[in-house]
């Protein structure tokens, strides 16, 4: 059991619970919590390190991380009674994003399972951004959807676990030593 000021990490076999809440995903030795009270927690098992970031900090880390933009091999967009349904085929993963008009929310389904780590949609005036993170094929995938005044942009990125781990550690070191 590892402890940080805000989170208790319990290792149960190959999975982790953050304050009793199951991880949203794991890739290699990185375990990632779902958003909890505005924070996303990371447990790097081989270093026994717990890092906590706000959703805004996580967005910054993801924007700085070296990533590869993936072009979906198939796209399908439809307007249904629930809202907008956007289907993508990325690296043999079926990704479905639903913008639910009745609840004014968005959610993402990857290969039939709902993504547990999502941020947003966060909106300023008519510009909204939604993020979903999930792991597959030994990578971390980062889905970013921006919609503004009738335009709808979807980007999918692939990040290696070591790149994310390095960015998280650099971010926490910079924050601790107030380098920015």
């Amino acid at each position: 059991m590892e402890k940080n000021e805000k989170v208790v990490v319990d290792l149960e076999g190959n999975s982790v619970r953050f304050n009793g809440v199951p991880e949203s995903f794991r890739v290699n030795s990185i375990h990632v919590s779902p958003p909890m009270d505005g924070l996303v927690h990371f447990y790097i098992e081989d270093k026994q390190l717990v890092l906590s970031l706000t959703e805004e900090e996580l967005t910054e880390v993801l924007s700085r991380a070296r990533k590869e933009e993936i072009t979906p091999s198939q796209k399908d967009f439809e307007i249904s009674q629930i809202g907008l349904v956007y289907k993508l085929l990325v690296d043999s993963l079926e990704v479905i994003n639903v913008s639910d008009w009745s609840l004014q929310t968005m959610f993402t389904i990857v290969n039939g399972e709902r993504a547990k780590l999502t941020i947003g949609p966060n909106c300023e005036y008519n510009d909204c951004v939604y993020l979903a993170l999930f792991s597959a094929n030994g990578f971390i995938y980062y889905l970013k959807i921006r919609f503004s005044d009738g335009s709808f942009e979807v980007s999918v990125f692939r990040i290696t676990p070591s790149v994310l781990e390095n960015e998280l550690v650099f971010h926490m070191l910079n924050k601790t030593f107030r380098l920015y």
Side-chain angles (χ1 to χ4, degrees):
M1 175 167 26
E2 294 296 318
K3 212 173 200 183
N4 158 322
E5 297 124 20
K6 298 178 180 19
V7 66
V8 175
V9 175
D10 293 313
L11 188 60
E12 299 172 351
N14 287 334
S15 65
V16 163
R17 289 184 169 276
F18 297 87
N19 289 347
V21 177
E23 64 192 16
S24 62
F25 66 85
R26 171 184 184 238
V27 60
N28 295 352
S29 69
I30 302 174
H31 301 266
V32 185
S33 80
M36 300 166 57
D37 297 325
L39 294 173
V40 177
H41 307 287
F42 296 84
Y43 177 61
I44 303 173
E45 190 174 346
D46 58 355
K47 293 180 177 45
Q48 296 186 342
L49 183 62
V50 178
L51 304 169
S52 301
L53 278 71
T54 64
E55 292 176 355
E56 184 179 316
E57 288 174 322
L58 177 57
T59 303
E60 290 171 15
V61 166
L62 291 171
S63 70
R64 283 193 314 263
R66 189 181 70 229
K67 54 195 166 284
E68 177 184 0
E69 187 164 3
I70 306 297
T71 303
S73 58
Q74 181 182 344
K75 294 181 186 180
D76 186 25
F77 184 77
E78 63 184 65
I79 299 175
S80 72
Q81 291 178 341
I82 345 174
L84 303 174
V85 179
Y86 199 77
K87 298 177 185 177
L88 304 167
L89 192 58
V90 178
D91 283 355
S92 74
L93 301 171
E94 181 185 46
V95 179
I96 301 171
N97 184 269
V98 178
S99 302
D100 187 337
W101 287 337
S102 62
L103 299 175
Q104 295 183 344
T105 61
M106 294 178 83
F107 61 92
T108 302
I109 298 169
V110 181
N111 286 350
E113 187 176 321
R114 191 167 179 162
K116 296 176 186 151
L117 178 48
T118 60
I119 299 173
N122 295 325
C123 301
E124 279 189 35
Y125 303 106
N126 292 333
D127 185 25
C128 298
V129 176
Y130 168 84
L131 308 173
L133 273 84
F134 52 92
S135 68
N137 307 325
F139 291 101
I140 298 159
Y141 290 87
Y142 161 40
L143 172 72
K144 180 178 180 181
I145 298 176
R146 167 173 252 130
F147 48 101
S148 175
D149 291 327
S151 86
F152 194 81
E153 294 175 33
V154 177
S155 304
V156 182
F157 303 96
R158 182 170 56 196
I159 303 171
T160 63
S162 60
V163 166
L164 180 62
E165 183 178 323
N166 289 340
E167 283 296 329
L168 290 169
V169 170
F170 289 141
H171 176 79
M172 294 313 290
L173 287 171
N174 284 337
K175 186 176 170 184
T176 301
F177 295 115
R178 302 190 196 309
L179 299 175
Y180 57 80

